[in-house]
């Protein structure tokens, strides 16, 4: 008897203790038999590893026809056969058909295909150990995971439309925001996060918070709208009381390095707002996660101090900058990414139009609150840069600036900065064609 049968089936596959545990439960809520709809039935096939029965799934012995707890439960509640609504003669033929060894072989084949699909989907989520590197299950919501013996946090991002500028490439603020996001997610996934802004459990007990003291960013190429980037971050010690955090940004598809960054962090007492030594409890908490690796090999970029910029040397000044309420972070001071926007206020618009930021060095001097009024100063370190800034477009290939953010009221320093700008690719090509 030939019939096109789509059976409402439960198929469960379980591994024994010596294997990776895995289970698969499939259920079709609608059934068609010879073009007629029927109710969900009670035909079950339980395929279980380790039994010497009449079939295998993926090299695993299976057991067909044995009643499961689900079978028994349905029998206790009076579950009827899926064919009970059909004429008795037809129902008997179909019952005999699905119990036929050939039909059971079809069910085994279906289970085999389904198992392969599930295993492929879960391959990246199952703990694997290969070549001395351990990967743990993916955090599906944050799209991140710990790799390299759980010392590196890796996360992917899609560059959104609101993260790009007029040229459809990501801004430096976009990268900085993702640096901050991955740092916090790393602390969370490593099991260190308390209820603070990246603070560990011991830090909360000592009323301490992290504050960044220095940041260096080196951009090789800015990702464009819709690009997928992969970002790695890890931590290491920095002196007696500090911690260093590095980032490496790659194009997800090609693996090309897009940007590198490193930063130094110190502790501040949340109540007194004064810097604090690192307690032994905190050091013992974070030191097992240290990885001695540097994202930026340029020692001058990492260690060179930034000279103070005074009124007599400043060439560009922008005053009256005030933080908005949404510029504050969870530690109730202006987020460090906001400072970059203020620095750009004293950078000539013509430079920002024709050039892109290549390197960025920031030295944070003190925190800034919502009630402060800020002044941004800049000085060109490149001959001809200021003159070129009045042209459209400037043709200077590389431009350097020194920056200062300070309180407008008393001149107290908030941040020192240094930026290097390179001619954007489209302008570079145009310049070469003119030559």
């Amino acid at each position: 008897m030939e019939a096109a049968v789509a059976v409402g089936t439960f198929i469960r596959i379980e591994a024994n203790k010596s294997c990776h545990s895995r289970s698969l439960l499939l259920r079709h809520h609608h059934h068609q038999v010879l073009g007629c709809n029927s109710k969900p039935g009670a035909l079950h096939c339980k395929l279980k590893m380790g039994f010497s029965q009449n079939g295998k799934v993926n090299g695993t012995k299976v057991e067909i026809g044995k009643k499961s707890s689900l079978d028994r439960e349905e029998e206790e509640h009076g579950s009827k056969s899926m064919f009970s609504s059909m004429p008795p003669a037809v129902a008997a033929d179909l019952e005999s058909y699905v119990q036929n060894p050939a039909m059971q072989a079809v069910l085994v084949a279906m289970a085999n295909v389904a198992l392969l699909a599930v295993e492929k989907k879960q391959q990246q989520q199952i703990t694997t150990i290969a070549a001395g590197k351990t990967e743990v299950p993916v955090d599906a919501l944050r799209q991140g995971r710990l790799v390299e013996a759980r010392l590196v946090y890796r996360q992917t991002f899609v560059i959104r439309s609101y993260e790009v500028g007029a040229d459809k490439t990501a801004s430096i603020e976009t990268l900085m925001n993702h640096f901050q996001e991955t740092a916090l997610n790393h602390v969370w996934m490593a099991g260190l996060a308390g209820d603070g802004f990246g603070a560990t459990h011991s830090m909360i007990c000592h009323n301490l918070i992290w504050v960044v003291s220095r940041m260096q960013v080196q951009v090789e190429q800015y990702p464009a709208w819709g690009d997928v980037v992969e970002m790695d971050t890890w931590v290491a010690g920095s002196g007696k009381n500090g911690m260093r955090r590095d980032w490496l940004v790659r194009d997800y598809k090609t693996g090309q390095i897009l940007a590198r960054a490193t930063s130094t962090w110190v502790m501040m007492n949340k109540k007194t707002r004064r810097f604090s030594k690192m307690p032994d409890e905190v050091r013992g908490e974070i030191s097992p996660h240290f990885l001695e690796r540097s994202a930026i090999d340029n020692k001058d970029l990492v260690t060179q101090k930034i000279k103070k910029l005074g009124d007599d040397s400043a060439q560009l000044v922008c005053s009256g900058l005030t933080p908005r309420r949404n510029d504050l972070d969870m530690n109730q001071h202006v987020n460090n990414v906001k400072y970059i926007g203020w620095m750009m206020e004293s950078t000539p618009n013509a430079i920002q139009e024709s050039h892109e930021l290549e390197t960025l060095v920031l030295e944070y001097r003190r925190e800034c609150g919502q009630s402060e009024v800020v002044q941004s100063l800049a000085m060109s370190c490149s001959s001809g840069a200021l003159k070129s800034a009045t042209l459209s477009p400037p043709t200077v290939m590389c431009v350097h600036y020194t920056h200062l953010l300070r309180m407008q009221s008393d001149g107290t320093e908030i941040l020192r900065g240094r930026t290097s700008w390179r001619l954007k690719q489209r302008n570079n090509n145009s310049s070469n064609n003119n030559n």
Side-chain angles (χ1 to χ4, degrees):
M1 175 180 179
E2 294 186 3
V5 183
V7 187
T9 309
F10 285 96
I11 305 174
R12 186 182 299 275
I13 304 169
E14 298 178 341
N16 60 23
K17 294 182 179 180
S18 63
C19 304
H20 290 296
S21 61
R22 52 190 175 182
S23 64
L24 170 67
L25 182 62
L26 304 176
R27 183 173 185 175
H28 296 283
H29 296 282
H30 300 284
H31 319 274
Q32 281 192 329
V33 180
L34 297 175
C36 300
N37 292 331
S38 64
K39 298 178 181 179
L43 174 64
H44 306 288
C45 291
K46 185 171 184 180
L47 312 179
K48 193 167 186 178
M49 294 183 180
F51 288 85
S52 57
Q53 296 294 330
N54 59 345
K56 288 187 177 182
V57 176
N58 235 16
T60 302
K61 295 178 180 180
V62 300
E63 183 181 19
I64 301 176
K66 184 176 179 179
K67 291 183 179 179
S68 65
S69 58
L70 196 56
D71 289 307
R72 293 190 294 271
E73 181 180 350
E74 290 187 353
E75 288 179 355
E76 291 173 0
H77 291 80
S79 175
K80 297 181 180 180
S81 168
M82 63 181 290
F83 308 116
S84 58
S85 61
M86 300 180 181
V90 175
D93 286 342
L94 290 177
E95 288 280 8
S96 174
Y97 180 79
V98 297
Q99 294 299 327
N100 187 284
M103 183 58 180
Q104 292 181 355
V106 172
L107 295 176
V108 171
M110 290 170 58
N112 191 22
V113 172
L115 178 60
L116 289 174
V118 171
E119 286 183 338
K120 183 177 181 180
K121 182 177 179 181
Q122 294 181 343
Q123 186 176 4
Q124 294 180 344
Q125 300 177 338
I126 298 176
T127 301
T128 60
I129 300 177
K133 297 180 180 179
T134 303
E135 294 192 0
V136 301
V138 173
D139 172 17
L141 296 180
R142 290 180 173 85
Q143 294 182 311
R145 64 189 187 276
L146 292 171
V147 299
E148 298 192 38
R150 296 178 60 90
L151 297 178
V152 176
Y153 178 76
R154 179 170 296 165
Q155 185 170 354
T156 57
F157 296 95
V158 178
I159 302 302
R160 308 296 184 182
S161 59
Y162 51 81
E163 296 177 319
V164 302
D167 57 358
K168 298 183 181 180
T169 60
S171 63
I172 186 65
E173 289 93 338
T174 294
L175 295 180
M176 294 287 285
N177 281 324
H178 286 315
F179 291 158
Q180 180 173 283
E181 180 70 10
T182 52
L184 295 174
N185 290 345
H186 182 198
V187 174
W188 175 84
M189 190 165 235
L192 296 175
D195 59 357
F197 192 47
T200 67
H201 301 284
S202 297
M203 288 176 64
I204 293 172
C205 293
H206 288 83
N207 210 27
L208 297 174
I209 59 175
W210 287 114
V211 291
V212 59
S213 62
R214 186 177 173 91
M215 185 90 179
Q216 301 88 34
V217 183
Q218 192 172 30
V219 182
E220 303 293 336
Q221 180 180 324
Y222 285 90
W225 176 25
D227 285 352
V228 181
V229 298
E230 185 176 69
M231 190 173 293
D232 286 1
T233 185
W234 62 93
V235 293
S238 178
K240 294 182 179 180
N241 298 302
M243 182 184 75
R244 195 188 79 236
R245 177 174 286 278
D246 288 45
W247 293 268
L248 192 63
V249 186
R250 291 182 295 269
D251 184 284
Y252 181 77
K253 293 182 179 179
T254 66
Q256 177 188 354
I257 301 297
L258 301 178
R260 306 170 185 269
T262 186
S263 60
T264 305
W265 298 74
V266 294
M267 293 185 177
M268 175 185 284
N269 187 286
K270 192 173 184 179
K271 291 183 177 179
T272 65
R273 315 307 286 187
R274 294 181 179 275
F275 293 121
S276 171
K277 293 183 178 180
M278 183 182 294
D280 292 338
E281 299 94 320
V282 176
R283 186 180 303 277
E285 203 173 30
I286 65 176
S287 58
H289 301 271
F290 286 172
L291 175 64
E292 295 301 328
R293 177 190 300 172
S294 298
I296 298 178
D297 296 328
N298 188 336
K299 293 183 179 180
D300 291 338
L301 182 65
V302 174
T303 61
Q304 188 178 11
K305 297 295 183 180
I306 303 174
K307 294 181 180 180
K308 183 178 180 179
L309 186 61
D311 291 320
D312 55 341
S313 55
Q315 300 162 324
L316 298 161
V317 179
C318 183
S319 303
L321 302 172
T322 56
R324 298 172 299 175
R325 182 171 181 80
N326 60 1
D327 293 330
L328 303 181
D329 61 24
M330 286 181 276
N331 289 327
Q332 298 303 308
H333 56 216
V334 175
N335 190 287
N336 64 82
V337 179
K338 180 63 179 179
Y339 295 157
I340 300 175
W342 285 342
M343 285 173 51
M344 298 302 107
E345 293 294 331
S346 59
T347 305
N349 289 332
I351 290 294
Q352 298 188 55
E353 284 290 331
S354 59
H355 289 64
E356 62 186 11
L357 197 60
E358 181 177 17
T359 61
L360 170 70
V361 182
L362 304 173
E363 291 181 2
Y364 296 88
R365 315 297 286 186
R366 59 154 292 173
E367 62 179 337
C368 178
Q370 185 181 0
S371 61
E372 311 288 357
V373 179
V374 178
Q375 194 174 46
S376 177
L377 295 80
M379 179 189 72
S380 169
C381 303
S382 305
S383 60
L386 285 178
K387 181 179 179 181
S388 296
T390 63
L391 304 177
S392 180
T395 56
V396 178
M397 295 297 294
C398 190
V399 181
H400 307 278
Y401 283 94
T402 299
H403 303 265
L404 174 67
L405 296 181
R406 67 184 184 185
M407 301 295 185
Q408 189 167 311
S409 58
D410 58 7
T412 302
E413 288 186 274
I414 301 173
L415 173 140
R416 295 182 186 182
R418 185 170 58 243
T419 58
S420 296
W421 302 73
R422 62 176 172 238
L423 201 61
K424 289 182 179 178
Q425 189 64 38
R426 56 180 175 83
N427 293 323
N428 193 9
N429 292 338
S430 176
S431 176
N432 291 335
N433 292 334
N434 292 335
N435 293 335

